Amino acid sequence: MPKKNYTNLDYLKEITGDEDEILKEFILMFFDQLPEFKNGLHDHLENKRYKELGELAHKAKSSVMTFGMEDLGWKLKDLQLKTQKLEAIETYPDFLKEFDEVIAHAEKELQEVLETL
C-alpha cells in the first residue's frame, strides 16, 4: 500500500518557480509558525477563548492550505465558523486532535523535503 502524503507541494513549487532555496524558506517559515498554531490553539481552547481560537484557526488554515493540506484547511475553516456562532463547542477538541495528528505527519514529510533541498 502506498504511503499517504499529508502535504502536496505542487502549489508551492508553482509559485516559487520550483526554486529550491525559496521552497526551503517557505518550509522554514511554516516551521516557525507551528509553535504559535499548536500552542495557541490549545491555549485558547483550554481558556475558553473561542473568538481567538477561531481567529487562529483562520490563520493556520491559510498556512496549511499553502502546503496542500486541503482536508485540514477545510476543517480549520469549519472550526472558525463554529467559533463565530459558538456552535458545537464540545467538538472543538476533536478539531485540535486532528490538527495535531496531521501536522505531526506533515512536519516529518517537510523535514524530509528539506533534507533533499
Side-chain angles (χ1 to χ4, degrees):
M1 182 145 69
K3 179 183 145 192
K4 178 183 190 236
N5 280 342
Y6 287 84
T7 59
N8 179 336
L9 300 182
D10 290 347
Y11 171 71
L12 259 181
K13 288 179 179 179
E14 184 181 318
I15 65 168
T16 62
D18 208 5
E19 291 284 331
D20 288 353
E21 277 308 307
I22 301 172
L23 188 59
K24 187 177 184 177
E25 285 179 39
F26 270 92
I27 293 171
L28 292 173
M29 279 192 305
F30 182 65
F31 283 169
D32 286 346
Q33 290 178 313
L34 285 179
E36 175 192 356
F37 295 153
K38 292 192 279 193
N39 300 334
L41 290 169
H42 286 279
D43 186 53
H44 292 321
L45 177 65
E46 189 177 310
N47 292 293
K48 297 180 170 56
R49 292 190 303 263
Y50 301 130
K51 179 178 183 279
E52 292 86 349
L53 176 65
E55 290 169 354
L56 191 54
H58 174 73
K59 184 176 178 182
K61 173 191 67 95
S62 301
S63 292
V64 302
M65 294 286 254
T66 300
F67 286 87
M69 292 176 263
E70 301 286 324
D71 290 344
L72 182 57
W74 290 114
K75 293 267 170 67
L76 288 167
K77 176 72 173 177
D78 192 23
L79 174 60
Q80 175 196 357
L81 295 173
K82 286 184 181 339
T83 62
Q84 289 172 350
K85 299 174 187 168
L86 295 178
E87 287 179 343
I89 293 171
E90 71 282 358
T91 66
Y92 298 177
D94 297 332
F95 285 97
L96 269 55
K97 182 176 186 255
E98 182 168 354
F99 176 84
D100 291 340
E101 289 171 6
V102 172
I103 289 299
H105 289 286
E107 280 183 279
K108 287 179 189 155
E109 285 179 19
L110 293 172
Q111 192 59 52
E112 290 171 10
V113 170
L114 273 181
E115 291 167 11
T116 67
L117 297 176

